[in-house]
Amino acid sequence: MPKWSDKPLLKSWEKAKPPLGWPRETDSLCPRCVPEIRQQILDGKTPLEVLYTDKPGEIKRKSSSAMASPDGQGVPHPRPDSKM
């Protein structure tokens, strides 16, 4: 048992495994949107409650095989006005 833990480490077969299959989905934060939203809150242009009620700057990403849209253009950026 490690000194920093009150329980022994799990063996490989005891650990939880991520769900396999397609499409896989990942939650990410937009590297440009988050600072913009933070600054808007600090400037008083956006209420702080937006962090509790919405998911500003969050991007849901699907696996590369699921990202292609029917028109072949891919998935659009959630905030098209943001310059990346």
Side-chain angles (χ1 to χ4, degrees), residues 24-36:
R24 292 189 185 149
E25 198 171 273
T26 305
D27 294 341
S28 300
L29 293 175
C30 172
R32 296 206 186 251
C33 303
V34 172
E36 290 174 9

Side-chain angles (χ1 to χ4, degrees), residues 67-81:
M67 287 185 76
S69 60
D71 60 1
Q73 298 300 312
V75 178
H77 190 277
R79 295 199 42 214
D81 59 330

Side-chain angles (χ1 to χ4, degrees), residues 17-69:
K17 295 180 176 51
L20 299 178
W22 299 99
R24 292 189 185 149
E25 198 171 273
T26 305
D27 294 341
S28 300
L29 293 175
C30 172
R32 296 206 186 251
C33 303
V34 172
E36 290 174 9
I37 294 164
R38 182 184 302 134
Q39 192 60 50
Q40 290 174 4
I41 291 171
L42 293 174
D43 292 345
K45 297 177 183 175
T46 303
L48 181 62
E49 290 75 28
V50 75
L51 297 176
Y52 301 116
T53 59
D54 298 337
K55 295 183 179 181
E58 182 178 299
I59 301 172
K60 291 274 191 183
R61 296 180 185 219
K62 295 204 179 273
S63 62
S64 58
S65 63
M67 287 185 76
S69 60

